[in-house]
């Protein structure tokens, strides 16, 4: 399938924060999970309603039922309410991948989350996942290379000419890892708001602006005299 590359999703359920970031025109989608929804203190569907009204066309909505049948039932309710803006998020478990296969067969976008190994990414791809979400930060926490996992999954998909599934780098905790994830071939990075804001900042940019301001003041002073 043909897709845009180097997309940025925001990983939060804070609607006000999302509104500010989405208004920049840079954010391409939103990922949520039960923890983020809980932090928002709101009902999931209320959050999704506001995001859809904002014009966001790709919102990962995680299902929480433990069985494949339950996940599909929950997913169908979300699809019925939110239509094409809904990407159904399932865990990389037997039940999750069974649900993924059934949903994918019905042309539903599925984000398979909690990916920690290339073998899991292979299974998710075979199950018809639209996105696989390797958890960079959590892999790093367990003394493995989170960015190396991104690279390994991308290499496998490329070697096998598998383009139906995109790599969505998740659990990213710093600005540097955004650049490295894209360097290693991730199609999408989903990042928390603080990392998104941090991408704008660089000490040399600040210094450059300071020098420009000083130069402009000199120009104005010369013009006045």
């Amino acid at each position: 399938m043909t897709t845009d590359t180097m997309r940025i999703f925001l990983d939060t359920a804070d609607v006000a924060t999302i509104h500010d970031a989405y208004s920049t025109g840079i954010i391409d989608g939103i990922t949520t999970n039960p923890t983020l929804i809980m932090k928002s203190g709101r009902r999931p569907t209320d959050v999704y309603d506001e995001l859809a009204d904002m014009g966001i066309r790709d919102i990962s909505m995680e299902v929480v039922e433990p069985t494949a049948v339950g996940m599909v039932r929950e997913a169908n309710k979300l699809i019925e309410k939110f239509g094409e803006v809904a990407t159904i998020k399932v865990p990389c478990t037997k039940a999750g991948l069974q649900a993924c296969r059934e949903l994918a067969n019905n042309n539903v976008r599925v984000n398979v989350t909690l990916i920690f190994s290339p073998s899991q990414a292979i299974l998710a791809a075979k199950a018809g996942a639209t996105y696989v979400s390797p958890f960079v930060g959590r892999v790093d926490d367990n003394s493995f290379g989170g960015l190396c996992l991104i690279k390994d999954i991308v290499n496998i998909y490329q070697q096998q000419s598998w383009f139906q599934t995109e790599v969505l780098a998740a659990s990213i905790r710093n600005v540097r890892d955004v650049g490295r994830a894209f360097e290693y071939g991730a199609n999408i990075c989903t990042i928390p708001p603080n990392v998104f804001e941090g991408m704008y900042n660089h000490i040399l940019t600040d210094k450059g602006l300071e020098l420009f301001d000083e130069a402009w003041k000199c120009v104005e002073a010369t013009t006045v005299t």
Side-chain angles (χ1 to χ4, degrees), residues 100-175:
C100 177
R101 168 51 65 190
E102 183 171 342
L103 292 167
N105 284 342
N106 289 314
N107 298 314
V108 174
R109 277 197 315 265
V110 182
N111 177 357
V112 177
T113 189
L114 296 173
I115 298 283
F116 295 100
S117 71
S119 61
Q120 289 180 312
I122 292 168
L123 293 177
K126 291 292 291 177
T130 307
Y131 308 131
V132 292
S133 290
F135 274 37
V136 173
R138 288 204 206 173
V139 172
D140 287 340
D141 289 343
N142 287 275
S143 301
F144 296 95
L147 290 167
C148 289
L149 175 59
I150 298 292
K151 189 174 185 179
D152 289 344
I153 294 170
V154 169
N155 284 341
I156 290 169
Y157 286 177
Q158 289 180 344
Q159 288 295 323
Q160 297 298 318
S161 298
W162 187 270
F163 304 114
Q164 296 94 320
T165 303
E166 294 188 288
V167 178
L168 191 161
S171 184
I172 288 180
R173 297 172 180 168
N174 61 72
V175 170

Side-chain angles (χ1 to χ4, degrees), residues 73-95:
R73 181 172 57 244
E74 189 179 350
N76 285 336
K77 290 179 181 178
L78 291 169
I79 295 298
E80 182 179 352
K81 182 171 178 58
F82 297 103
E84 293 183 356
V85 307
T87 295
I88 303 303
K89 197 173 180 183
V90 302
C92 190
T93 61
K94 284 186 178 181

